[in-house]
Amino acid sequence: MQQQYWVGDFYIDVSRNQITYQQHTQTLAPKALAVLSVLAQYQGEVLSQDKLLDAVWQDVIVSPNTLQRSIVQLRKAFGDDGREQVFIKTHAKQGYSLEAKVRWDDKSTAIPKSTLPSHSHEQTEQTTASELPVTPTKSRRPFWYTISLTILGGVIAIGAMTLLDQPKSDTFHVEKLTALTATDNRENAGIYSPDGDYVVFHRYEDRLCINNLWAKHTQTQAEFQLTQALNSNGTHTFSEDGKTLYFVQEQDCRQPITQKQCYQLMRLDFAKSLTSPQQPTSIMECKNSRLRSPSWMHGGHLALLQQHQARWALIRYTIDSKESLVIFGSENDNVISYAYSAKENLLALTTLNTAGQYHLQLVTPEGEVRSKVAIQYPQEIAKYRFIYPSFSPFDEKLVFSTGRQLFTLAYDGIINKVSLPLDEPMGSPSFHPDGDRMLVIKGFYDRDIALLTLSEPKAGDTQGHANQPKFDIIERSISSEGSALFQPNGTKLAFRSQRSGIDQVWISDGTTSQQLSNFAMDSYIDGLVWAQNGQSLLTSSSKELTQLSLGGNHLHFPYTVPIEQLFDWDSEQQTALANIRVAGLLKFAQLNLSDLTFTILRDTPVNWAQRTENGHVVYTDQLDRFWQTGGVEDTLIEALIDQGSDKRFMLDNYVLYGVNEQFELWRYHLEQQQFTKLMKLPKTLDYLTDVRGSTALVSLRINAKKELAELTISQ
C-alpha cells in the first residue's frame, strides 16, 4: 500500500505514522492510518465496517468499537467534526467514506479492489455507534489533546502527556500532589472505597513481608487499623456496597505437599473495623494452588488469579454458593495480570501464549472474549517486561507504570507514554470512582553492602547464638546497593546499584566506585556473576544477557527466550544456570552461550542455584529444600531440611553457607556432611551474596520507604 499521499492539504506519511498540515506534524496509531489508507484507496466510496475490519485487522478478533475509535482519531487529526463530517463521512448502517480529495505519488499505483476482503466480519453491534463530536477549527488545523501534569512540592516531575484520542476534553491538569500516608512506615496496595471517602492500604512492619490493613478518611485524615494481627495479606477489594473487604492471606502450610504456603481467601467487615480492629474470616483455602489479586464483580462474584503448577488462570468465585469456575485459562495461554471495570463490566487481561506472544484480551465475567490484540511495545519498554495495567477514566484506555514512566495501553494494544520520566519511582496507579483523582505508590528502597566477619561458635554453643555479627559497611548511598561479589583472583568488588537513578552494574576498588554498565531507563538486574579470570561479568538485565568487560567492551547474547534470573556462570565452558521462560512457563535450565542453546534441567523454576567445583549443581526448590545433582537422579540434602529461605545461599569451594527463616547463618560441608550454626543475623538482612574464606558479603536494609500519594486532576 502507498506509504505517502495527500488527503486535501494534509500530507500522510504511513511509514512514520504521521499526518502533517502547514508544518504541524502529529503522530497517530498505525491502525488508524491503516484505516485511512484503505478509505483513501476507495475515495468517495462507502466501505462497510466488515470490510474495513478485515482489511486492517486481519486474523485479529476485535469489535466495531475499535474501528470507531480509529475514525475518531482521524477526525481529530483533520480537525473534522463528527456531525459536519467534511473529511470522513458516516453512512448509517452502511459504513464510512473518505470525502476529501486524495493525491498519490505518480510513481505509485493504488491497490486493486479485488484485494479488499469481501467476507463478513463478526460484529458485536448491529449499527454504527455515533462518534463523539470534536469542535472544528476554521483552518482545519490538527487538533491536539494534551495532559500537562504539574506536581507541587518538588517531589515528582511529571511532564506533559498527550492523549490524541481523548474525546471528552482537550486539557487535563494535575492540580496538586497530596501525601496520604507520610509516616515512617511502609505503605502499599492502596485502593479507594466505592464511595471514595476512604483509602485502604497495607502498613508493614520491619520484616516487610507481614502487614496490617489500615484505612484513612480522605477528608478528615483520620486513620483506622482494620485487622487485629500482622499477617501476609495480599491486595484487597471492596464489595459493591462498600461493606466488606476481601483479600488473600498467605500462611505456612502445616504439612507442605506441593507448596510451602497455603492461600486463604479472607473476608473483613469494613464498618466494624472502623470502630475497632477485627479478625478476618476465612471463606476458602487452597493448599495445592496459589491465589492472588481478588476483584469484586457485579452479581456477588469475585475474580481471582489461581495458579496450578506453573500456569495462572482467571477464575470466578461466587460468594453465596462457594463455587468457582474458570473465566479464562488454557494450555496455550498463561494469564499475567488482569483488571476489572465495574463501569463496563469487563475484564482486561494480559496473557502470554506458548509462542511467547504477549496479548491484551478483553473478556466478560462469563468468559466471552470480546477482543484479542498483540501488545505493541514502544522503545522505552524492554521487550520482555511484563506490564500490569488498570482501567482509567480515559476513553478505552488502561494506565500502567514501569517505575519512572507512565503509559496508557489502548484497547487496540497501542502503548503511548503519557509523562516524562519521574524523579522517583511511582507506580500502581488507581483511580478514584469520580475519575478526578489518582492513587499512586511512591518511595525508595535503601540498602547497603556490608562485609561480615565469619567466626566460629564459642565452645559449648552448638547453636551459634552467642556470636554477635560484625558488620563493616563498605558501599552505601541513599539508594539500593546489592548483589555484591568478590573479584576472583583480585581485590575489586562488583555490585548493582540504583545510585544513578537506574539499576546498573558498578565496580569498586575499595577507594572509588565507577559505573560499568549503561542500561536503559527502568532496567532491572536479575543476576550478576564474575568470569573465572575476574576480567568480566555476566548479567541479566531486563531479562537479557550481557557480558560486561572491565575494559569497556560489552557482548550481548541474543537469546530468543527471556532470562528471568541468572544464578551461575562457567566462563571457561561458556555455560550458565538460569531460570528461563519457555512457551510461557518458567523452567530451570543450563545455557550454552557459545551457540545460544539451552538444556532444561527442571520443568519448574528453582529459587536459587550454585555450581560446585566438580560441576555438580546445588539448588533450592519452591519448598526451599536443598538438592544436589549427580548420579542417576538429584539428591535431597536431608541435613538441610528447614534451613532454606529466600535469603539465598553461597558456595565457597565445597562449603555451603545459608540463612534460615530464623535469620541464623549456618555452614554445611558437602563432602564431610557437617552442619554448623554460626550466628544470628538481624532481620534487616536482605541477602547473603558472596563468601570468601572468613568473610561474607551481605545486603542490609537501611530504609524501605513506600507511601500513598494522591494526584488531584482537573479538566
Side-chain angles (χ1 to χ4, degrees):
M1 184 174 288
Q2 178 65 36
Q3 297 292 296
Q4 291 87 22
Y5 55 94
W6 293 82
V7 175
D9 293 330
F10 290 80
Y11 179 67
I12 315 301
D13 189 343
V14 178
S15 65
R16 297 173 181 263
N17 300 323
Q18 292 178 344
I19 293 181
T20 302
Y21 176 83
Q22 294 183 355
Q23 298 182 342
H24 295 279
T25 299
Q26 52 187 307
T27 301
L28 266 67
K31 292 297 186 184
L33 285 179
V35 170
L36 178 62
S37 294
V38 175
L39 289 171
Q41 294 289 338
Y42 302 91
Q43 188 272 339
E45 298 185 30
V46 179
L47 299 183
S48 68
Q49 288 190 71
D50 292 343
K51 291 185 178 181
L52 286 168
L53 286 167
D54 285 323
V56 177
W57 286 273
Q58 298 178 12
D59 301 322
V60 178
I61 302 173
V62 296
S63 71
N65 288 337
T66 304
L67 172 61
Q68 293 153 17
R69 187 168 58 255
S70 293
I71 296 295
V72 171
Q73 294 177 21
L74 292 170
R75 283 178 172 155
K76 289 177 187 178
F78 290 131
D80 207 348
D81 190 300
R83 291 168 293 186
E84 189 176 351
Q85 300 182 359
V86 173
F87 283 77
I88 299 175
K89 185 175 181 179
T90 300
H91 302 266
K93 298 185 180 182
Q94 297 182 53
Y96 301 95
S97 65
L98 181 64
E99 299 298 313
K101 182 179 179 181
V102 177
R103 287 180 290 142
W104 303 91
D105 188 336
D106 292 339
K107 298 179 181 179
S108 302
T109 58
I111 59 174
K113 293 183 181 181
S114 60
T115 63
L116 193 63
S118 59
H119 58 278
S120 176
H121 192 284
E122 182 177 344
Q123 295 190 16
T124 58
E125 296 181 9
Q126 297 299 317
T127 59
T128 302
S130 60
E131 278 76 30
L132 295 170
V134 178
T135 304
T137 59
K138 294 182 179 179
S139 63
R140 298 291 176 198
R141 289 173 180 254
F143 193 77
W144 296 86
Y145 283 82
T146 61
I147 296 179
S148 61
L149 302 179
T150 306
I151 306 301
L152 300 181
V155 180
I156 302 174
I158 302 181
M161 73 180 182
T162 302
L163 295 177
L164 293 175
D165 57 351
Q166 172 56 252
K168 295 182 180 179
S169 176
D170 55 356
T171 305
F172 291 81
H173 297 281
V174 172
E175 297 293 334
K176 62 179 179 179
L177 167 71
T178 304
L180 295 182
T181 57
T183 69
D184 291 330
N185 299 293
R186 178 176 179 262
E187 289 91 11
N188 208 340
I191 64 169
Y192 288 103
S193 60
D195 58 12
D197 291 341
Y198 290 91
V199 172
V200 177
F201 56 92
H202 292 161
R203 178 165 285 164
Y204 288 80
E205 64 105 50
D206 288 342
R207 286 177 59 187
L208 293 185
C209 59
I210 57 177
N211 61 71
N212 270 310
L213 266 65
W214 284 72
K216 184 164 189 167
H217 198 280
T218 56
Q219 297 300 317
T220 67
Q221 305 301 306
E223 289 192 348
F224 308 88
Q225 182 177 328
L226 303 180
T227 50
Q228 288 181 353
L230 290 163
N231 222 309
S232 295
N233 300 313
T235 57
H236 38 272
T237 184
F238 272 99
S239 59
E240 195 168 8
D241 57 13
K243 295 180 179 180
T244 309
L245 280 165
Y246 295 92
F247 53 94
V248 172
Q249 191 176 90
E250 293 184 30
Q251 298 180 355
D252 291 336
C253 287
R254 294 181 181 179
Q255 293 180 333
I257 300 174
T258 59
Q259 57 190 37
K260 196 171 184 178
Q261 300 297 115
C262 290
Y263 296 79
Q264 294 187 355
L265 179 61
M266 312 298 288
R267 176 173 55 203
L268 184 71
D269 189 308
F270 182 60
K272 287 184 178 179
S273 299
L274 292 176
T275 303
S276 63
Q278 301 291 307
Q279 178 64 34
T281 303
S282 175
I283 60 176
M284 180 179 65
E285 182 177 17
C286 290
K287 297 182 179 179
N288 294 293
S289 64
R290 298 181 179 184
L291 293 175
R292 64 179 173 93
S293 306
S295 184
W296 182 271
M297 298 189 297
H298 297 320
H301 307 296
L302 279 174
L304 287 154
L305 286 176
Q306 183 176 29
Q307 184 190 44
H308 285 284
Q309 296 180 343
R311 194 179 300 278
W312 289 92
L314 183 65
I315 67 170
R316 186 180 75 202
Y317 180 77
T318 303
I319 301 297
D320 292 338
S321 65
K322 298 183 180 180
E323 295 178 343
S324 65
L325 59 85
V326 175
I327 298 175
F328 186 94
S330 69
E331 291 298 318
N332 297 321
D333 285 289
N334 191 15
V335 180
I336 304 301
S337 73
Y338 85 97
Y340 174 71
S341 169
K343 180 181 178 181
E344 300 184 51
N345 195 29
L346 194 64
L347 295 151
L349 285 66
T350 59
T351 62
L352 186 70
N353 65 16
T354 53
Q357 297 168 326
Y358 202 26
H359 290 102
L360 171 68
Q361 304 202 44
L362 299 180
V363 182
T364 68
E366 292 72 35
E368 176 192 351
V369 178
R370 291 283 180 85
S371 66
K372 178 181 179 180
V373 297
I375 300 176
Q376 302 181 37
Y377 273 23
Q379 187 177 3
E380 294 93 334
I381 303 178
K383 65 179 180 179
Y384 291 130
R385 185 177 192 131
F386 290 147
I387 60 175
Y388 301 87
S390 57
F391 280 93
S392 76
F394 309 132
D395 182 39
E396 297 193 353
K397 283 183 180 292
L398 299 109
V399 174
F400 66 92
S401 169
T402 57
R404 295 180 181 273
Q405 298 181 104
L406 294 174
F407 297 87
T408 60
L409 171 62
Y411 286 5
D412 60 4
I414 302 297
I415 292 176
N416 285 309
K417 187 166 66 174
V418 296
S419 78
L420 294 177
L422 308 177
D423 283 347
E424 69 177 87
M426 185 173 73
S428 304
S430 176
F431 287 89
H432 188 275
D434 294 338
D436 59 351
R437 281 169 279 170
M438 181 173 66
L439 269 183
V440 294
I441 307 297
K442 69 182 185 70
F444 60 89
Y445 196 97
D446 183 7
R447 63 183 171 196
D448 295 342
I449 297 170
L451 195 67
L452 172 64
T453 301
L454 303 179
S455 56
E456 294 294 327
K458 295 181 179 179
D461 179 22
T462 58
Q463 298 300 309
H465 290 168
N467 289 340
Q468 295 297 319
K470 298 178 181 179
F471 294 108
D472 182 16
I473 303 296
I474 57 176
E475 284 294 336
R476 104 150 247 91
S477 70
I478 60 172
S479 187
S480 176
E481 331 287 330
S483 302
L485 299 169
F486 294 113
Q487 181 187 28
N489 305 314
T491 59
K492 291 183 171 60
L493 198 72
F495 59 98
R496 53 181 286 194
S497 175
Q498 295 180 5
R499 62 181 66 179
S500 65
I502 302 171
D503 209 6
Q504 304 284 7
V505 177
W506 287 68
I507 299 293
S508 171
D509 60 6
T511 303
T512 60
S513 301
Q514 65 180 24
Q515 183 176 316
L516 183 63
S517 65
N518 190 28
F519 298 128
M521 174 76 74
D522 280 335
S523 295
Y524 50 100
I525 295 173
D526 280 317
L528 181 65
V529 191
W530 277 104
Q532 286 149 292
N533 63 7
Q535 296 305 304
S536 65
L537 293 123
L538 185 68
T539 183
S540 174
S541 175
S542 299
K543 304 182 183 181
E544 296 190 85
L545 287 183
T546 303
Q547 184 176 349
L548 307 171
S549 169
L550 296 184
N553 297 323
H554 299 340
L555 177 62
H556 177 240
F557 295 93
Y559 270 90
T560 56
V561 296
I563 312 300
E564 296 285 341
Q565 190 171 21
L566 173 67
F567 302 116
D568 196 275
W569 177 35
D570 184 340
S571 58
E572 294 182 355
Q573 299 297 322
Q574 278 297 76
T575 61
L577 300 174
N579 281 336
I580 64 176
R581 192 173 292 275
V582 182
L585 300 179
L586 286 175
K587 301 178 185 293
F588 180 46
Q590 176 171 286
L591 310 178
N592 189 329
L593 305 185
S594 300
D595 57 9
L596 300 180
T597 60
F598 57 83
T599 302
I600 300 299
L601 302 180
R602 280 174 59 94
D603 282 331
T604 57
V606 303
N607 288 346
W608 193 252
Q610 296 278 280
R611 200 192 311 259
T612 64
E613 290 188 355
N614 63 2
H616 291 171
V617 176
V618 177
Y619 64 87
T620 51
D621 62 14
Q622 298 298 297
L623 292 173
D624 287 328
R625 298 175 301 184
F626 284 83
W627 296 80
Q628 184 175 8
T629 64
V632 178
E633 60 183 10
D634 298 351
T635 304
L636 179 67
I637 305 178
E638 299 281 355
L640 298 181
I641 293 293
D642 298 328
Q643 296 301 322
S645 73
D646 61 353
K647 306 303 176 186
R648 303 180 184 174
F649 65 87
M650 296 303 301
L651 273 168
D652 184 24
N653 295 321
Y654 290 97
V655 181
L656 193 64
Y657 292 86
V659 180
N660 60 28
E661 291 184 344
Q662 289 71 47
F663 288 86
E664 295 170 328
L665 177 66
W666 51 261
R667 177 183 64 205
Y668 180 72
H669 287 269
L670 290 172
E671 294 181 331
Q672 302 173 15
Q673 299 184 7
Q674 180 181 357
F675 176 80
T676 307
K677 289 185 179 178
L678 299 177
M679 64 185 66
K680 185 90 171 192
L681 298 178
K683 292 182 179 180
T684 55
L685 175 83
D686 269 353
Y687 297 112
L688 172 69
T689 62
D690 203 0
V691 176
R692 177 187 284 177
S694 61
T695 57
L697 291 170
V698 298
S699 297
L700 292 178
R701 185 176 68 257
I702 306 302
N703 192 7
K705 180 64 174 175
K706 292 282 186 180
E707 62 179 309
L708 270 66
E710 184 178 68
L711 306 180
T712 303
I713 301 172
S714 66
Q715 300 186 32

